Amino acid sequence: MNNIRINNFSKISYLMIISPFIIILSGFLTAKFAGIILKEWAWIPLTLVLWGLMGFFIFFGLKKKNLKIQSYLFFEKINIYKILSLIAGFIPFALFLMNINLIKNNKNLIIFWLLFSIINPFFEEFYFRGVLLIYTENWKAFLSVLYSTFLFAVNHPISWGVNSIANRHPVTFISTFIMGLVWAINFKKCKDLLFPIIGHFLVDLFNLSVFIFLNIYVPMK
């Protein structure tokens, strides 16, 4: 009986560890085929597919570990890791200031921009920082952090970058890797996702996410 439980758990752990490849491939295919008809607006079905898959693995992964979402959303004494998680959220602030006119000229997109900025951090943080780091907790710490961070960063050019020029830009990969690294270290040290979620919200807000998806903002080549 114990061997059956161990084998089942091993299969579940293996599934959770390879799940980023399932998500990234699904995102790429969705963006590719939806983009044929919807062009840049393929970001909507892409978002729904990515959120749906992440949501499934978050629910399934935490349930199998008997963990609850709210146990990772708490406010305790501020420390350097939490401060850095918030500071990371201001990395794209200069981009926001330089392109604030895009918001004024595209007011019909504000609701999409705000909704995405609010919702997306919960899915990505609980998946890339939560589930992946929990299921690789027996690895060496730096390998666990690098695994989660690299796959988080590479998802942007491969999935989001299919129809979005800015998401294919090397600077996007580098900045996303840095932010993911900070948030992963925070989770390793604090087991807290509240501050990474807030920092991630600021990033999605300041980097004009939906405007980037629609190629309204395109970085200099």
Side-chain angles (χ1 to χ4, degrees), residues 22-24 26-27 30 43-60 111-128 152 155-156 159-160 200 204 209-210 213:
I22 298 172
I23 290 173
I24 293 171
S26 300
T30 300
W43 77 268
I44 292 181
L46 171 59
T47 297
L48 295 177
V49 167
L50 292 179
W51 286 357
L53 288 171
M54 287 181 200
F56 168 77
F57 286 116
I58 291 167
F59 175 80
F60 184 72
I111 185 65
F112 291 103
W113 172 52
L114 292 177
L115 283 175
F116 182 86
S117 299
I118 292 169
I119 298 171
N120 186 60
F122 285 91
F123 282 100
E124 291 202 334
E125 290 309 310
F126 268 99
Y127 177 71
F128 283 104
F152 168 67
N155 181 51
H156 287 72
S159 293
W160 299 109
H200 200 142
D204 286 342
S209 50
V210 170
F213 298 154

Side-chain angles (χ1 to χ4, degrees), residues 31 34-43 163 213:
I36 295 172
I37 299 172
L38 300 175
K39 305 299 181 184
E40 290 87 353
W41 281 94
W43 77 268
N163 300 298
F213 298 154

